[in-house]
């Protein structure tokens, strides 16, 4: 059933109409259950969905014995796609001071000092199926990806997926993050099937899957590494013409990761080394931090801060502010 819409009606939408709008489709879970697919936009929507499903189940109970005896589904449940809630929460909780965390797409407008690096990484990624981002811990790799690279790719029509594998089941984490970008109700249970569906779904538009902290893969069991190596080789061999992979990892793991890639059959992938900020980039980053937090500061004082910091640095390179 579709929701009733009254043009020009300023009355608050009732729960029943809201419930119907939130339901995107349905499927069968097993012989006994019908699963309603819902896409809530906030916590209140989740309550409305639960209330609506409960009402439908109550209505169904009067005929459920007949349905059950005939071998038909006789229960109603639901599954929620919570991406809308997460997106709204990110917007509502937009931060002005990042502290020790990394910048995300929501902070792209205050992420300063890395424009040259963002353009350089963009060139590498768009020109290769598999690219590598290498840099010391804390240098700002994740911020460069999320707040520098992804916004530029999104403007070009790319779909950007960021994932960080977590042991003991890194492949499950990668699979879940890929499936979060699938059409509602379609969730393949292996990465290759997901990537294939992803490629087909976005058609002529490109997709990038970024695996951050890729060095954690080296601590996974050998079967996990072997499986991921096969997946990367398929993408390297352009089995999916519009899918790109970016691997981000710490520079001190480069020998081990190079060995892993060589053993997987991936020769000479596109590489982008990330160094610390130079004084110009540090100036822009500091200026953005002060302005974002409504603190007035002169260029002269910023330069004095940078000079004092440089005295403590070995190579006059700053980590991301």
């Amino acid at each position: 059933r579709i929701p009733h819409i009254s043009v020009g009606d300023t009355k608050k939408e009732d729960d029943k109409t809201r419930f119907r709008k939130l339901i995107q489709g349905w499927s069968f879970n097993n012989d006994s259950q019908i699963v309603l697919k819902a896409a809530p936009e906030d916590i209140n929507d989740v309550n409305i969905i639960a209330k609506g499903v409960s009402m439908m189940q109550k209505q169904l109970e009067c005929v459920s014995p007949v349905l059950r005896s005939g071998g038909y589904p006789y229960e109603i449940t639901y599954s929620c796609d919570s991406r809308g809630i997460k997106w709204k929460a990110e917007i509502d909780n937009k931060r002005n001071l990042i502290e020790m965390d990394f910048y995300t797409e929501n902070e792209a407008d205050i992420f300063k000092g890395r424009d040259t690096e963002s353009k350089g990484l963009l060139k590498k990624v768009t020109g290769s199926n598999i690219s590598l981002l290498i840099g010391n811990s804390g240098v700002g790799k994740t911020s460069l990806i999320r707040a520098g690279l992804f916004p530029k790719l999104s403007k070009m029509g790319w779909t950007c997926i960021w994932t960080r594998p977590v042991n003991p089941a890194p492949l499950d984490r990668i699979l879940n993050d890929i499936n979060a970008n699938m059409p509602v109700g379609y969730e393949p249970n292996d990465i290759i099937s997901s990537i294939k569906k992803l490629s087909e779904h976005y058609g002529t538009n490109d997709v990038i899957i970024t695996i951050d902290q890729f060095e954690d893969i080296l601590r996974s069991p050998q079967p996990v590494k072997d499986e991921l190596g096969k997946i990367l080789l398929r993408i390297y061999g352009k089995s999916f013409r519009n899918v790109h992979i970016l691997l981000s990892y710490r520079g001190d793991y480069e020998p081990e990761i190079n060995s892993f890639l060589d053993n997987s059959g991936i020769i000479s992938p596109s590489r982008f080394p990330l160094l610390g900020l130079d004084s110009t980039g540090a100036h822009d980053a500091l200026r953005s931090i002060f302005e974002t937090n409504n603190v007035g500061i002169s260029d002269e004082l910023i330069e004095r801060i940078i000079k004092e910091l440089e005295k403590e640095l070995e190579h006059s390179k700053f980590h991301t502010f």
Side-chain angles (χ1 to χ4, degrees):
R1 299 177 64 180
I2 62 172
H4 173 70
I5 300 174
S6 298
V7 178
D9 188 358
T10 58
K11 293 181 180 179
K12 185 178 179 181
E13 187 176 58
D14 61 57
D15 286 355
K16 183 184 292 186
T17 299
R18 181 65 180 164
F19 171 65
R20 292 173 181 172
K21 284 184 178 180
L22 293 170
I23 301 302
Q24 305 293 309
W26 56 274
S27 64
F28 295 117
N29 190 18
N30 49 45
D31 291 340
S32 65
Q33 290 186 333
I34 300 171
V35 183
L36 299 181
K37 305 292 185 177
E41 297 176 1
D42 55 42
I43 296 300
N44 187 54
D45 283 345
V46 176
N47 295 331
I48 290 174
I49 292 165
K51 180 180 176 182
V53 170
S54 177
M55 178 186 67
M56 292 181 68
Q57 181 60 43
K58 187 176 181 180
Q59 293 172 341
L60 192 66
E61 284 176 357
C62 62
V63 294
S64 61
V66 178
L67 294 173
R68 186 171 186 175
S69 64
Y72 296 103
Y74 54 90
E75 295 178 347
I76 295 179
T77 184
Y78 65 95
S79 173
C80 286
D81 179 356
S82 60
R83 280 176 285 173
I85 296 177
K86 293 177 181 177
W87 177 82
K88 186 176 185 299
E90 287 183 359
I91 296 298
D92 291 344
N93 295 296
K94 185 173 180 179
R95 305 162 295 173
N96 289 335
L97 190 61
I98 306 302
E99 297 179 344
M100 295 302 290
D101 204 354
F102 53 80
Y103 289 78
T104 70
E105 296 86 336
N106 293 327
E107 289 92 32
D109 58 333
I110 62 172
F111 179 64
K112 304 296 182 182
R114 288 296 199 185
D115 191 52
T116 299
E117 290 84 352
S118 296
K119 292 177 180 177
L121 184 58
L122 176 69
K123 185 176 180 180
K124 292 287 185 181
V125 165
T126 55
S128 177
N129 285 74
I130 292 190
S131 305
L132 311 179
L133 175 62
I134 311 108
N136 293 334
S137 179
V139 77
K141 298 186 295 297
T142 303
S143 294
L144 181 66
I145 294 167
R146 298 286 299 273
L149 175 66
F150 279 8
K152 286 179 168 55
L153 289 174
S154 295
K155 288 180 180 179
M156 296 167 56
W158 286 44
T159 295
C160 303
I161 300 172
W162 179 81
T163 183
R164 178 174 285 177
V166 177
N167 283 307
L171 296 182
D172 290 345
R173 178 62 176 269
I174 295 172
L175 178 64
N176 290 338
D177 288 333
I178 293 174
N179 284 347
N181 291 268
M182 292 292 186
V184 175
Y186 187 93
E187 294 185 357
N189 56 10
D190 68 273
I191 294 178
I192 284 295
S193 296
S194 284
I195 293 176
K196 183 176 184 295
K197 181 63 179 179
L198 198 69
S199 176
E200 295 170 350
H201 178 66
Y202 288 103
T204 58
N205 294 330
D206 287 275
V207 178
I208 182 168
I209 303 169
T210 295
I211 305 179
D212 208 353
Q213 288 189 195
F214 190 72
E215 64 271 12
D216 289 348
I217 293 295
L218 298 178
R219 294 191 283 271
S220 301
Q222 191 60 45
V224 171
K225 292 190 284 187
D226 291 343
E227 183 175 351
L228 188 55
K230 293 176 182 177
I231 294 168
L232 295 177
L233 183 60
R234 289 281 300 274
I235 295 172
Y236 181 69
K238 300 183 179 180
S239 295
F240 315 101
R241 58 179 181 77
N242 59 338
V243 177
H244 304 252
I245 290 283
L246 173 62
L247 307 179
S248 175
Y249 57 87
R250 283 166 38 188
D252 53 323
Y253 277 87
E254 190 160 20
E256 293 94 329
I257 290 180
N258 284 340
S259 177
F260 166 78
L261 294 174
D262 288 343
N263 292 336
S264 301
I266 301 168
I267 311 300
S268 302
S270 181
R271 316 175 78 86
F272 188 86
L274 182 63
L275 303 176
L277 290 164
D278 58 20
S279 58
T280 300
H283 183 284
D284 292 342
L286 277 174
R287 166 65 67 187
S288 176
I289 291 171
F290 284 112
E291 289 181 349
T292 301
N293 290 278
N294 300 312
V295 177
I297 188 170
S298 66
D299 288 336
E300 290 77 14
L301 182 52
I302 291 179
E303 291 302 325
R304 286 178 59 186
I305 294 172
I306 290 173
K307 287 180 180 179
E308 290 299 317
L309 291 173
E310 283 179 332
K311 294 177 182 179
E312 307 297 325
L313 300 174
E314 185 176 348
H315 302 292
S316 297
K317 291 286 184 180
F318 304 87
H319 280 201
T320 300
F321 287 97

